[in-house]
Amino acid sequence: RFAEGIALMQSVVKRAPTFALGYKFLGEFYESAGRLHNAVTAYREAIRLNPRDRDAFRLLARTQVAMGTPQAAVATFEEGLAILPGDPLLQAELAELYDSTGHAWKARFLWEAVASQSVDLELSRFAAAKLVQKRPRSVSE
C-alpha cells in the first residue's frame, strides 16, 4: 500500500511545506515503492528543512547506496558530519560504507573515534569489535 502512503504524505507536505518529517516519511514511502530518485528528492528536502536530522542523512545515504552510487552516500555522510560533527551513528555508518567499498583504512579512524567517544555503550563495543577484527597482523602471526 505504498501508493496510498505516497499520496497521503504528498497531501501532508502540500498543506505543510515546511514539515520536514513529512518529507522524510514521503522519502521512506518512495524508497519502499522503489522510486529511489523521488526518495532522494524527498530526503534532500527533509534535510534542507531540518539539517540536524541525522536520520534523514542516513536514509538518503542508504538510498544512494541502493542506487549504486556509494560515492554520493559518502558525500552525504560527510555533509551530515559537517553539520553534526562527531555524531557516532553517522561515523559508524560511514565506516561501514568504507569497509564495504574496500576502504578499510578510512574506516579505521572512524571506528576508533566511535569506540573511544560514543556514549552509546553498544555502539562503542561494536566499533571496538570492528577494530579487533581489522587489527594489522604482526610479523610473527
Side-chain angles (χ1 to χ4, degrees):
R1 299 178 57 177
F2 299 126
E4 291 175 31
I6 290 169
L8 173 66
M9 293 317 300
Q10 285 174 330
S11 172
V12 167
V13 299
K14 185 176 182 178
R15 288 190 175 109
T18 60
F19 184 49
L21 188 58
Y23 284 99
K24 190 165 66 171
F25 285 139
L26 179 59
E28 289 186 86
F29 282 119
Y30 278 138
E31 185 180 357
S32 296
R35 295 173 58 181
L36 301 182
H37 289 286
N38 295 100
V40 166
T41 301
Y43 292 141
R44 277 276 166 221
E45 186 62 10
I47 290 168
R48 186 186 73 75
L49 293 169
N50 183 8
R52 299 197 58 80
D53 182 353
R54 75 170 173 199
D55 290 330
F57 285 104
R58 295 172 60 229
L59 293 166
L60 174 57
R62 178 181 72 190
T63 302
Q64 291 166 325
V65 168
M67 294 172 72
T69 56
Q71 285 310 104
V74 166
T76 294
F77 280 124
E78 289 173 348
E79 178 186 348
L81 285 166
I83 294 167
L84 302 163
D87 183 282
L89 197 52
L90 291 177
Q91 288 177 322
E93 290 195 21
L94 178 56
E96 286 279 7
L97 182 57
Y98 280 145
D99 279 342
S100 71
T101 57
H103 295 94
W105 59 276
K106 290 181 179 180
R108 184 166 186 80
F109 169 75
L110 293 166
W111 288 129
E112 287 171 351
V114 172
S116 66
Q117 298 169 10
S118 177
V119 295
D120 179 332
L121 292 178
E122 187 176 329
L123 186 57
S124 183
R125 286 184 190 123
F126 181 79
K130 287 288 197 174
L131 289 167
V132 170
Q133 291 173 1
K134 297 175 185 335
R135 69 179 172 86
R137 295 187 180 273
S138 69
V139 177
S140 62
E141 288 183 299

